[in-house]
Amino acid sequence: MMFSLAASHAKGKLATDKIFGASAAAGKAVAQYGKENVVNATIGAILDDQERLICLPTVETVYRGIPMNEVINYAPIAGLPDFLEAAVDVCCGSHRPDAYIRAVATAGGSGVIHHAIWNYSEIGDTVLTADWYWGPYKVLCEDALRKLDTYALFDEQQAFNVAAFETKVKSLLSKQDSLLIIINTPAHNPTGYSLTDAEWDSVLNVCKDSAKVGSKRIVVLVDVAYMDYAGEKDACRSFLRKFGGLPQNILTVLAFSMSKGYTMYGQRTGAMIGVSSSQDVIREFEAINQYTSRATWSNINRGCMRLLATIHQDKLLSAQLEQEREVLYRMIRDRAEIFMAEASNVELKMLPYVAGFFLSVPAKNTDAVCDELHNDNIFAVPLAKGVRIAVCAVPALKIKGMAAKVKRAIDIV
Ligand code: PLP
C-alpha cells in the first residue's frame, strides 16, 4: 500500500484521462515517424491544414491591443459588467429567452459545470447526463462527492431518446428532491449531435411534468461549448427561447465558454448564465455562484473578459469575427463530410453527426480498436462505447481513407 497523507475523500484520485493517454501516444509516433506520417485525431482544438493551432485573427489583433494594466489587473469576482452583458448577448443572439437572466464569470465552461454541481445538487446525490458524454463531467461530479448517471442518448432511429431520458429523470426524482441535468448541445462532444427544437420540447415537457410536484427542483445545465461551430448562427440558437416561461422550480443554466468560440482555450474564460421566471431564483443564482467563485478561484482572466467586451461593442469587429468563424466551421464540416461519405461507402456505422469538433464511431473493445489503429499511425480517443475522432484537428487530406481503416480495425478486434 502506498503511503498516503490525503484526506479520505481524496485518496486514490488520479486524473488519467483517456484523451491525454491517446494524445501522448500520438506525440510519440510523431517523434518517431514524422508529423506527415501520423494522423492525430485526439486534439480538441482547431488545427489548420498544416496542423497548426489556429487563433481567430480578430481575437489576436484585439487581444494584443489590450492595455497591459487591463491584462494584469484583478477583476470583480462576478466578472466585468460589460463582459457579462456581452456574454449573454453573444450566447443568446436573437433568441434571448423571455425570463430573468443574469451571468456570473467563470473559469471557462468547466467552471460553470463545477459551480452548478456544487450549488444545485446535494452531496451524495446523482447528476444526470447522456451515455455519450465528455469525461470530465464525471470527474467534476465525483470530486464534489456526487455521482453521475446516464441515459441512452440515441434511440433506434438515432434520434434523441426521450423515453430513456424520461425514465431516468423520473427514477432519480423519486429518490432525490433536486436533479441537475447536463445536456451538451448543439454540436455535442463526442458525437457532433444537436438536439432538434422538437426534441427540446420533449425534454422540457419531461422536466415540466416532473416539476409539477412543487417540492422537486430541476436545473437544466446546457453546455453550449461548441455552439459557435454548430451551423447558422440564428438557427442553432432558436431552442434558447424555450427557456422562457418555465415553472419557477426549473432553472436553466447556460455554460458559455470562450475556449472554442474565441479560440482562447487556455485563457479560462466563460460565464454561467442563469435563466429563470423567478427573480428570487436569479438573485440567489448570482449570490451563491459569486460566493463559490470567491471560494474556488477568486476572479478570472480580466484581459480575456475585456477582449469579449471590446469585440461585442464594435459591430465591425463582431462581423469580422463571425466571418472568420464561418471559414473554420466550413473547414471542419468539409472534413467531417469526407469521413461520413467514406464511412457510408465502406458501411462503417457512425453516430449522427450534425456539426462540431468530433464525430464518433460505436465500437466494443475500444482500447483494442485504437491500438489496432496505431498500426496505421492513426490516433483517436477510446471511449466507453466507441471511438472519438477529432475532425477539428485533422487536415482533409489525412481524413481521406481513414473510415476504411477504422472499419478494418473494428472488424479485426
Ligand atoms: N464542455 C464540453 C463538452 C467540452 O468538450 C469542453 C472542452 O473541451 C468544455 C465544456 C469546457 O471547456 P472550457 O472549460 O475550456 O470552457
Side-chain angles (χ1 to χ4, degrees):
M1 260 275 273
M2 205 180 88
F3 179 62
S4 161
L5 290 184
S8 55
H9 68 267
K11 263 192 215 315
K13 285 180 181 167
L14 187 64
T16 47
D17 145 328
K18 294 266 186 195
I19 304 177
F20 287 121
S23 95
K28 241 170 102 183
V30 167
Q32 201 174 346
Y33 303 109
K35 190 165 128 180
E36 61 289 357
N37 298 312
V38 174
V39 179
N40 185 354
T42 68
I43 303 168
I46 308 175
L47 303 190
D48 65 14
D49 281 337
Q50 282 69 49
E51 294 175 78
R52 293 171 305 206
L53 185 67
I54 296 178
C55 180
L56 289 157
T58 300
V59 166
E60 178 163 359
T61 313
V62 174
Y63 194 72
R64 287 187 187 279
I66 292 171
M68 200 57 191
N69 63 357
E70 273 287 289
V71 171
I72 62 169
N73 205 357
Y74 283 125
I77 304 258
L80 294 173
D82 46 2
F83 161 75
L84 297 174
E85 206 184 300
V88 175
D89 275 356
V90 299
C91 189
C92 297
S94 58
H95 294 284
R96 200 185 179 103
D98 183 12
Y100 293 102
I101 301 179
R102 276 283 194 280
V104 175
T106 58
S110 304
V112 181
I113 301 160
H114 173 270
H115 280 24
I117 292 167
W118 186 247
N119 288 327
Y120 292 104
S121 69
E122 302 289 336
I123 293 173
D125 269 5
T126 298
V127 172
L128 182 64
T129 197
D131 57 350
W132 291 86
Y133 68 90
W134 185 48
Y137 289 165
K138 188 157 195 229
V139 179
L140 282 153
C141 284
E142 291 182 352
D143 197 47
L145 311 179
R146 273 74 166 175
K147 300 178 203 88
L148 183 71
D149 196 0
T150 61
Y151 56 91
L153 177 55
F154 297 114
D155 61 18
E156 260 126 51
Q157 281 72 47
Q158 293 215 320
F160 183 81
N161 196 334
V162 189
F165 174 73
E166 177 163 25
T167 305
K168 271 291 159 80
V169 169
K170 298 253 155 93
S171 130
L172 287 170
L173 278 173
S174 71
K175 291 179 239 156
Q176 55 191 56
D177 283 333
S178 63
L179 179 61
L180 173 64
I181 302 167
I182 307 178
I183 299 183
N184 175 209
T185 189
H188 171 251
N189 174 7
T191 67
Y193 190 66
S194 299
L195 265 71
T196 64
D197 281 8
E199 288 168 343
W200 262 116
D201 287 335
S202 310
V203 164
L204 293 177
N205 283 339
V206 170
C207 294
K208 281 190 264 190
D209 193 44
S210 306
K212 278 187 188 145
V213 183
S215 59
K216 300 291 178 187
R217 292 167 276 131
I218 299 174
V219 176
V220 182
L221 168 56
V222 192
D223 183 350
V224 294
Y226 297 92
M227 188 157 67
D228 286 323
Y229 304 96
E232 200 274 317
K233 184 182 166 192
D234 223 39
C236 67
R237 283 170 171 74
S238 57
F239 72 96
L240 295 171
R241 265 192 207 284
K242 299 180 189 293
F243 303 133
L246 293 176
Q248 61 175 12
N249 53 341
I250 300 179
L251 166 70
T252 311
V253 177
L254 307 176
F256 170 74
S257 163
M258 289 182 68
S259 295
K260 333 281 172 186
Y262 294 78
T263 58
M264 290 302 246
Y265 316 93
Q267 296 294 311
R268 316 306 311 135
T269 305
M272 63 197 303
I273 300 174
V275 180
S276 169
S277 49
S278 157
Q279 196 169 16
D280 286 350
V281 167
I282 283 298
R283 283 199 181 122
E284 178 189 59
F285 172 85
E286 274 190 293
I288 64 177
N289 288 304
Q290 282 180 42
Y291 189 93
T292 303
S293 294
R294 171 75 274 182
T296 312
W297 53 64
S298 171
N299 66 148
I300 63 149
N301 186 325
R302 185 180 183 113
C304 204
M305 288 196 278
R306 176 59 58 219
L307 168 83
L308 183 76
T310 307
I311 295 174
H312 180 60
Q313 283 154 12
D314 186 319
K315 283 205 165 62
L316 217 67
L317 287 176
S318 300
Q320 209 173 285
L321 178 76
E322 277 179 27
Q323 267 175 16
E324 293 162 3
R325 271 200 205 119
E326 175 70 18
V327 173
L328 300 190
Y329 162 70
R330 281 167 196 269
M331 180 181 78
I332 298 170
R333 194 198 53 192
D334 291 349
R335 293 169 178 177
E337 275 174 1
I338 296 172
F339 191 95
M340 288 192 288
E342 292 188 352
S344 150
N345 286 342
V346 299
E347 293 180 2
L348 171 69
K349 194 172 164 224
M350 276 183 62
L351 292 173
Y353 176 90
V354 177
F357 283 29
F358 310 102
L359 55 81
S360 285
V361 174
K364 297 201 174 81
N365 301 327
T366 55
D367 283 311
V369 171
C370 287
D371 284 347
E372 185 57 40
L373 283 171
H374 293 177
N375 296 329
D376 287 319
N377 267 338
I378 294 175
F379 295 82
V381 176
L383 304 173
K385 295 185 164 187
V387 174
R388 187 188 83 168
I389 290 161
V391 280
C392 56
V394 181
L397 268 177
K398 286 190 178 179
I399 299 258
K400 292 201 172 107
M402 205 173 160
K405 288 176 180 161
V406 173
K407 165 89 173 144
R408 208 189 58 209
I410 290 176
D411 288 347
I412 291 174
V413 168

